[in-house]
Amino acid sequence: MVQLYNLHPFGSQRVVPCKQEPAQFCCGHDVLFVASAAASCGVEVFAVRREGRCEPLGSFATLGPVLRMAHSRAGDYLVTIEEKSKATFLRAYVNWRCMSAGSSRVCVRMVGHKMEESYTETLKEQMSIVEMALSDPPLCISCCPVSGDLLVGCKNKLVMFCLKYLVINQNLTVLDFERSLILHIDNFLPAEIAFCARHIAITTELDVLILKLDLVQQSADRGEQSTCQVSTTETPVDGGTKDEDLAIHSLQLELDEFVICPKPVELLGEESKLCKIPITLESTELATEDKKHFQVQYLLFRRFTPDQSPFGFCEETKLHSVQFLPVYQTGSSVTANEETESKRELLSLFCFFSLPHVGYLYSVGKLVELISTYQYSEKSEQAVLTPQFLHVVTSDSLQCFTVRCSAAAARDEDPYVDTTVKACPPVTLDVCTLRMQLFIGPRAICHYKNNIILLTKADTEDITERRKSSRRRLSRKADSNKPRTSSESEPGWNLYIINTVSTIQLYREMVDYSRTYGSVKTESCIHLLSEAHLLVRAALMDPSFLKSDEKEELLGAFRESCAALGDCYSRFDTKDYHLALPYYRMSGLSVTDVLERLVSESEEIRTYERGFMFYLTHSLNEELNEELSKELADKVLQIFYLADPVQLPHIICSPCMRNVCPLTAVKYLRKVEEVMPSVVLTLTKAFMALKMGDLTMYEREMNSHKETVLACGFIGQPKLLRECKEGIVIPTEFAVHLKVMQPGLLVAATVALHENSKIELEEADTFFKVLCNNGEDTVPQLLVDFWEALLVTCSQEEVLQELLLRVTYQYVWRISKKKLPETKPLKTTEDLINSCKHFGFIFPWVTFIMSVGSPLDKDCHEDISKLQSILCGESIDITAALPVLEPLAEAGNVGLTIRVLCSTRLGKYEESIDQLLRHCPAAAVLYAQHELKDDSRAVWWNKLLPELCERTRLSGSDCPVLISSLKETLSVVAMELELRDFLSLLPEDGTAAFFLPHLLHCSQRKLLK
């Protein structure tokens, strides 16, 4: 559906001072080319200035009448199809600006002609005409706005010429062309073509085919010419009828005075291969290392049927105005340098084509889809698509429609569009007609920036009748009062430059117009504001505005339009109410600004729409660095109590509500509690009691639930404990109070938050450090308590190892520095062993070593026992822990236990025995009894027994500890080995009386078996 608004997109209107009647015209970068229809063939060039002012620059002759013409901004050349002596010629006019500067020198050369040194210096000051010979007459042309390449349509084929920059010397670069590719299309007569970024659109009278040339890798040994036959399915688009059968049936029916029309077809994407139009690629580019090879990708095929009516068959149904519209990445540079311009990054690509009464706009970039359909009020002659508008020429008017290109491109550019962060009016939004401007006999149109060039031509006898019919249709007072001259004195044609009004001016008019709908809350208000938003967005996405003085004004209008749309979705009851949030975010308005726009201080109880509540709820639940005034905060309490009381506890905890009156908050909370009690609500009341200094009320609320229930209650609203300011986690007054009065509850609540993904480990670290006023490098005991408590519940292996290393490092640091924790730990070693599987029972030999240690080892007894308990467990990655344990390597008996525990965990039993025999031999046997089992049992006789024998022999009877350990070891070995093996282990110089009892015991064990 097309909606009609009577706006004023057209501004001033000026006449181009042409000397002859125009036959063809087109716009260049900043100029207008007009080819005359008179016998004296030539092209007039006009400079297009601000506000549509047009100044003649010069003219140059052509070979014959110009049938088609186009200008390429890349390369700044003009290409024409000219006719002479019933033959057509393709010519490119390069360096044509020399003609406007007064130079009459012209150089004519064939395409690819080698530049001769004799006249290269003169090329700077003369126009070059490059003639491109073709085997078939050229029918249509198109220049790529990205690369400057030229595409020529001929019967059954398309020929592509690549634009080349030939560097003659340091001061001279010459443009040339190279015929690089031919697309052979059987039985296809192109009426119009469009070319952009290797995308090709071809139209016949009723068919549209859109292709893309994809670059492919080819082997280096290919010849200079390569052909690529694009296979298509055998399934025809007309439903399966064979061409021969169709011809037979067609002939028979024509004899019966019937006309056969092709079946309408629309094929998108991969399905477009079913169009049964085979294409063969022929590469004609010279073989070089950087030679490009292409393959064809079908994007779209559409076939139409002629218009039919009860009064007969309409033979004038033909496609026209096929064109591409590229949209570039915002911020792409645009300069006069073509090489820089060609490097602009293409974001989206759109294709438009039209029938006499309906136009179609497709997106052909990342996804091929129909965006908009335009229904015209009368038959169209030509149309031109711009980033902001679609201008259509009909039999007696110039019509201006809105387009959805900026809406589609915005979604291609920004992945956050259509989220709660950003929004954009939908691509499917109904298009509208902004204006239908009357003209006498409009014929053709082209466009450059904010200028429209319109050719009008009417027969003298038809002028009066056209005026009458125009008045009858529109009955416009302004038109009827306009002074007219007699029809006899008026010329038969005019070429106008119509200056469209600035984006800001038209935007303001749209906003003012929308206010006529705002009072009755209709969708038309949202529709018109969406159009205004897209108008500004399209201007901001147009690279030509990047260095414009209007940029800041456009950005202001963009934010203003976002705010207006936010107001609409907040005030109106629409299905898209959730869009209030992203539009307000994009507007840059604070919560205070929005509340002041929507809520009146004197307003009594009212109904708040879903969009407003959705915005307010999400905004207040976020970590915003904004504080509402006391009056607004209290007003917010009232709004939520009336509209959404369940959210009241969560809203009160918002950082924006720091200035809320606690007494008022408690009053509303008590009312809600009577209907919907909850733990979160109880905790919120306790929080407000702390703010009021009412400790009695605080204790009453906190005692109403068990501590475990309260800890889980903080999961429902983490902001009761912490808030985020400028990215830093800050404890609340509630957390500060719990730290002093109930640290166990605070730690348990933080563990619950972490396990429910409400707080990250690093955030918790910062939280406790800030809470305890510790520096960044100092770890408070409360944080260690949190780590220890988290070890009990943590199930993620990666987090578990991180926690084990953290507590290990802290224990090691305090032991090595002989530092005691600043507060009493919440859990003892025994508590951790009983509640956490990652803390193991301390081995007997460890306890024995510590019992014979010095008093200094008992300074940090709790940390030492916790560290030993972790190492006695099986969870910690001992390899990762070794660098952390390094400071305790020489720390007396503590260091000995740490070293032996690490060696044992790594399976280095012999190394452990060496360390024990060297530093605490009394513990060696106790260690062996505990550790040397199963596969490691052989260490008894392979390591421990020989070492004890050797050390006892060296020390003699002066070391009773070694003798006692040797006896225990002999007893164990005698029970394990055969007599012969046991005897082989005994020293040859040993005292028989000492070893005899163990030999007898070993032999008796053998006899008992």
Side-chain angles (χ1 to χ4, degrees):
M1 182 179 72
V2 178
Q3 301 196 29
L4 175 62
Y5 298 109
N6 190 22
L7 299 174
H8 301 84
F10 305 125
S12 62
Q13 174 180 312
R14 299 173 185 269
V15 176
V16 180
C18 299
K19 297 178 181 179
Q20 303 290 338
E21 178 181 346
Q24 299 287 332
F25 60 93
C26 69
C27 287
H29 175 57
D30 53 358
V31 295
L32 172 64
F33 298 94
V34 182
S36 64
S40 56
C41 304
V43 174
E44 295 181 81
V45 186
F46 300 89
V48 181
R49 308 299 186 192
R50 294 179 62 87
E51 298 180 357
R53 290 184 295 107
C54 200
E55 299 175 1
L57 284 181
S59 62
F60 53 86
T62 59
L63 191 63
V66 177
L67 305 180
R68 299 284 181 99
M69 66 189 307
H71 177 268
S72 172
R73 183 172 180 177
D76 194 22
Y77 67 87
L78 179 72
V79 61
T80 62
I81 298 178
E82 304 172 17
E83 183 180 35
K84 184 176 183 180
S85 302
K86 297 183 180 181
T88 54
F89 300 86
L90 180 65
R91 310 178 99 199
Y93 294 82
V94 180
N95 206 21
W96 53 267
R97 292 183 186 268
C98 293
M99 300 297 294
S100 61
S103 174
S104 60
R105 299 175 63 92
V106 177
C107 165
V108 182
R109 57 187 170 89
M110 295 298 293
V111 64
H113 178 71
K114 184 177 180 181
M115 303 299 170
E116 297 292 341
E117 293 293 335
S118 58
Y119 63 89
T120 52
E121 289 299 322
T122 62
L123 291 177
K124 294 181 183 179
E125 301 175 357
Q126 68 181 14
M127 181 176 73
S128 295
I129 302 176
V130 183
E131 294 195 349
M132 289 169 265
L134 296 169
S135 59
D136 295 292
L139 303 175
C140 45
I141 50 177
S142 178
C143 301
C144 174
V146 178
S147 63
D149 295 344
L150 172 65
L151 187 69
V152 183
C154 306
K155 182 179 180 181
N156 296 333
K157 66 181 177 183
L158 303 176
V159 183
M160 186 172 76
F161 292 87
C162 288
L163 180 64
K164 300 289 184 181
Y165 294 87
L166 302 180
V167 179
I168 304 299
N169 52 52
Q170 293 181 349
N171 301 320
L172 180 61
T173 300
V174 179
L175 295 185
D176 197 10
F177 298 87
E178 179 183 1
R179 180 163 49 190
S180 60
L181 187 68
I182 300 176
L183 291 82
H184 296 277
I185 311 174
D186 294 339
N187 301 319
F188 207 81
L189 188 66
E192 292 183 355
I193 57 174
F195 187 35
C196 180
R198 301 202 308 271
H199 291 72
I200 299 173
I202 320 164
T203 62
T204 60
E205 288 190 354
L206 294 173
D207 292 351
V208 181
L209 178 63
I210 301 179
L211 313 167
K212 182 182 179 183
L213 298 175
D214 290 327
L215 286 171
V216 294
Q217 297 293 331
Q218 296 287 340
S219 59
D221 58 350
R222 291 179 63 91
E224 292 188 7
Q225 288 191 347
S226 62
T227 59
C228 174
Q229 178 70 40
V230 180
S231 61
T232 57
T233 181
E234 293 299 324
T235 306
V237 297
D238 59 359
T241 306
K242 297 293 183 180
D243 290 347
E244 296 80 6
D245 296 336
L246 182 60
I248 295 173
H249 286 293
S250 175
L251 179 61
Q252 181 62 39
L253 291 173
E254 284 179 355
L255 294 175
D256 297 334
E257 297 184 353
F258 283 97
V259 177
I260 298 302
C261 299
K263 181 180 179 181
V265 175
E266 183 186 35
L267 301 173
L268 304 179
E270 291 296 324
E271 291 184 353
S272 58
K273 292 181 179 179
L274 304 176
C275 64
K276 201 181 179 182
I277 301 178
I279 298 175
T280 303
L281 300 184
E282 179 186 351
S283 177
T284 58
E285 187 178 5
L286 295 177
T288 58
E289 292 183 359
D290 58 349
K291 180 178 179 179
K292 298 177 181 178
H293 299 273
F294 298 99
Q295 67 180 11
V296 173
Q297 177 186 357
Y298 289 78
L299 299 180
L300 179 145
F301 175 77
R302 185 149 187 181
R303 172 172 291 169
F304 298 93
T305 56
D307 289 340
Q308 301 177 54
S309 69
F311 305 101
F313 183 75
C314 178
E315 296 183 354
E316 296 183 0
T317 303
K318 294 180 181 179
L319 287 163
H320 64 78
S321 304
V322 62
Q323 57 199 290
F324 283 118
L325 177 68
V327 176
Y328 302 96
Q329 287 280 3
T330 303
S332 298
S333 61
V334 180
T335 67
N337 189 323
E338 291 82 357
E339 294 183 5
T340 302
E341 183 173 337
S342 65
K343 295 178 181 178
R344 290 182 296 175
E345 186 175 353
L346 187 67
L347 174 65
S348 304
L349 187 63
F350 304 92
C351 185
F352 174 82
F353 49 85
S354 182
L355 289 170
H357 293 284
V358 60
Y360 301 91
L361 178 61
Y362 281 85
S363 171
V364 294
K366 298 176 182 178
L367 183 66
V368 181
E369 61 179 342
L370 177 64
I371 291 181
S372 304
T373 302
Y374 296 88
Q375 298 287 342
Y376 311 138
S377 58
E378 49 194 5
K379 180 185 174 183
S380 64
E381 303 288 340
Q382 193 178 355
V384 62
L385 179 67
T386 76
Q388 292 178 307
F389 306 110
L390 173 68
H391 300 289
V392 180
V393 171
T394 65
S395 58
D396 61 359
S397 67
L398 172 61
Q399 300 183 8
C400 179
F401 296 86
T402 57
V403 295
R404 300 289 169 260
C405 298
S406 61
R411 288 166 171 83
D412 291 338
E413 183 178 43
D414 194 339
Y416 289 101
V417 174
D418 296 328
T419 67
T420 57
V421 179
K422 295 181 181 180
C424 181
V427 177
T428 56
L429 184 70
D430 289 341
V431 296
C432 68
T433 306
L434 297 182
R435 185 75 176 177
M436 298 175 66
Q437 186 74 36
L438 293 178
F439 281 92
I440 297 177
R443 288 291 183 268
I445 186 174
C446 70
H447 171 268
Y448 167 67
K449 284 190 176 179
N450 61 334
N451 297 306
I452 299 169
I453 292 82
L454 179 67
L455 173 65
T456 63
K457 184 177 180 181
D459 296 333
T460 303
E461 61 271 16
D462 293 338
I463 295 176
T464 304
E465 183 59 30
R466 285 183 180 275
R467 287 193 194 134
K468 292 180 180 179
S469 63
S470 299
R471 291 194 189 99
R472 283 197 301 270
R473 269 186 273 108
L474 295 180
S475 302
R476 292 180 56 89
K477 182 179 179 180
D479 288 341
S480 62
N481 293 335
K482 204 169 185 178
R484 306 284 185 176
T485 59
S486 64
S487 61
E488 290 78 5
S489 62
E490 290 195 22
W493 60 268
N494 268 314
L495 188 63
Y496 297 102
I497 289 188
I498 304 169
N499 180 251
T500 57
V501 300
S502 69
T503 300
I504 295 297
Q505 181 178 338
L506 184 56
Y507 164 78
R508 298 294 180 202
E509 185 181 6
M510 286 182 169
V511 172
D512 291 341
Y513 201 159
S514 70
R515 294 192 180 109
T516 61
Y517 299 103
S519 59
V520 291
K521 299 184 178 181
T522 64
E523 288 294 328
S524 294
C525 180
I526 294 179
H527 184 274
L528 199 49
L529 285 174
S530 298
E531 293 286 6
H533 176 87
L534 289 176
L535 182 72
V536 175
R537 187 184 281 271
L540 288 171
M541 296 186 77
D542 187 347
S544 62
F545 281 99
L546 290 178
K547 296 182 180 180
S548 171
D549 297 337
E550 287 186 310
K551 184 177 180 181
E552 289 303 319
E553 193 174 5
L554 284 171
L555 290 172
F558 178 81
R559 291 188 289 268
E560 180 185 297
S561 69
C562 292
L565 284 168
D567 290 344
C568 287
Y569 287 111
S570 294
R571 291 178 173 140
F572 300 167
D573 184 17
T574 69
K575 63 181 179 64
D576 296 322
Y577 64 91
H578 61 279
L579 293 177
L581 176 61
Y583 276 121
Y584 275 139
R585 282 177 170 167
M586 295 163 62
S587 71
L589 295 176
S590 64
V591 179
T592 299
D593 296 334
V594 174
L595 286 171
E596 289 175 348
R597 291 169 70 98
L598 300 179
V599 179
S600 173
E601 292 291 337
S602 60
E603 206 170 34
E604 298 297 330
I605 296 177
R606 53 162 281 189
T607 301
Y608 296 99
E609 298 296 346
R610 293 179 297 170
F612 174 64
M613 296 306 300
F614 184 83
Y615 162 76
L616 203 55
T617 301
H618 279 74
S619 298
L620 295 178
N621 282 330
E622 291 178 356
E623 305 288 353
L624 299 178
N625 297 322
E626 178 186 359
E627 295 183 12
L628 300 179
S629 65
K630 179 180 179 300
E631 294 74 18
L632 278 179
D634 292 345
K635 186 67 177 179
V636 169
L637 285 182
Q638 180 188 4
I639 291 171
F640 276 93
Y641 174 71
L642 296 173
D644 194 1
V646 177
Q647 293 293 329
L648 203 55
H650 306 284
I651 297 304
I652 291 174
C653 298
S654 169
C656 299
M657 301 287 285
R658 291 189 186 97
N659 298 323
V660 71
C661 175
L663 190 61
T664 305
V666 170
K667 179 184 72 174
Y668 283 118
L669 287 171
R670 284 174 176 166
K671 292 180 180 180
V672 175
E673 190 176 31
E674 294 175 358
V675 183
M676 294 172 287
S678 68
V679 181
V680 176
L681 194 147
T682 300
L683 290 171
T684 308
K685 286 171 62 181
F687 189 15
M688 293 297 102
L690 278 179
K691 286 195 169 187
M692 292 188 295
D694 190 347
L695 295 180
T696 303
M697 176 184 172
Y698 169 82
E699 291 176 0
R700 183 172 65 251
E701 297 297 335
M702 296 299 286
N703 292 332
S704 62
H705 296 283
K706 294 181 179 180
E707 190 169 287
T708 53
V709 176
L710 292 174
C712 294
F714 286 105
I715 300 173
Q717 187 44 261
K719 291 177 185 175
L720 287 166
L721 292 179
R722 55 102 179 139
E723 57 190 40
C724 190
K725 190 172 185 180
E726 297 180 357
I728 301 175
V729 176
I730 300 175
T732 63
E733 299 99 313
F734 205 166
V736 174
H737 184 79
L738 288 176
K739 169 205 164 189
V740 178
M741 304 303 297
Q742 294 176 281
L745 174 58
L746 178 61
V747 169
T750 313
V751 170
L753 292 178
H754 180 272
E755 290 303 285
N756 287 273
S757 302
K758 301 292 185 179
I759 189 172
E760 298 295 330
L761 193 57
E762 298 300 329
E763 291 178 335
D765 292 353
T766 305
F767 170 77
F768 281 109
K769 287 178 181 179
V770 175
L771 180 64
C772 300
N773 296 320
N774 285 74
E776 188 66 28
D777 299 328
T778 306
V779 177
Q781 176 57 38
L782 206 57
L783 178 54
V784 179
D785 291 329
F786 166 71
W787 291 340
E788 292 174 347
L790 193 56
L791 281 171
V792 178
T793 60
C794 182
S795 58
Q796 301 178 36
E797 181 63 25
E798 184 178 348
V799 178
L800 173 63
Q801 291 300 327
E802 176 68 20
L803 289 172
L804 287 170
L805 288 177
R806 289 188 182 195
V807 294
T808 299
Y809 176 83
Q810 190 59 25
Y811 297 150
V812 170
W813 183 83
R814 291 204 295 224
I815 294 169
S816 62
K817 302 293 184 182
K818 294 182 172 55
K819 294 271 189 182
L820 295 176
E822 70 275 12
T823 59
K824 182 181 179 181
L826 295 178
K827 290 189 177 183
T828 64
T829 305
E830 185 178 355
D831 294 334
L832 292 172
I833 292 173
N834 292 331
S835 62
C836 182
K837 63 181 180 179
H838 309 301
F839 287 82
F841 286 99
I842 298 177
F843 302 148
W845 59 269
V846 176
T847 306
F848 176 81
I849 294 174
M850 294 305 298
S851 66
V852 298
S854 65
L856 295 177
D857 292 336
K858 297 181 173 59
D859 290 343
C860 301
H861 172 71
E862 197 66 33
D863 287 334
I864 292 172
S865 60
K866 287 180 179 179
L867 177 58
Q868 291 171 341
S869 177
I870 285 181
L871 296 177
C872 290
E874 298 181 354
S875 298
I876 190 169
D877 182 354
I878 202 67
T879 304
L882 286 176
V884 178
L885 298 168
E886 187 64 31
L888 297 180
E890 304 299 330
N893 284 0
V894 176
L896 176 62
T897 60
I898 300 303
R899 293 196 306 273
V900 175
L901 281 169
C902 291
S903 298
T904 303
R905 287 287 304 276
L906 295 172
K908 301 177 180 179
Y909 298 105
E910 296 183 1
E911 181 180 318
S912 300
I913 289 173
D914 281 336
Q915 295 186 60
L916 289 173
L917 291 175
R918 189 162 52 248
H919 299 288
C920 187
V925 174
L926 196 59
Y927 169 83
Q929 290 173 343
H930 188 270
E931 302 293 345
L932 302 182
K933 300 175 182 179
D934 301 328
D935 294 340
S936 59
R937 200 160 186 80
V939 180
W940 278 95
W941 50 86
N942 291 333
K943 178 65 178 178
L944 183 57
L945 180 57
E947 285 289 337
L948 286 174
C949 289
E950 179 64 22
R951 290 174 185 271
T952 304
R953 184 180 63 80
L954 294 175
S955 62
S957 58
D958 295 334
C959 189
V961 173
L962 288 175
I963 295 173
S964 175
S965 298
L966 179 57
K967 287 180 179 180
E968 292 186 39
T969 302
L970 287 169
S971 299
V972 173
V973 174
M975 292 296 294
E976 296 291 334
L977 299 180
E978 296 293 333
L979 181 59
R980 182 180 299 174
D981 295 333
F982 179 52
L983 185 60
S984 66
L985 294 173
L986 300 181
E988 294 180 357
D989 58 348
T991 304
F994 182 81
F995 293 102
L996 187 57
H998 299 288
L999 286 168
L1000 290 173
H1001 182 70
C1002 182
S1003 62
Q1004 289 173 359
R1005 180 178 60 82
K1006 180 69 175 175
L1007 292 173
L1008 290 174
K1009 290 184 178 180

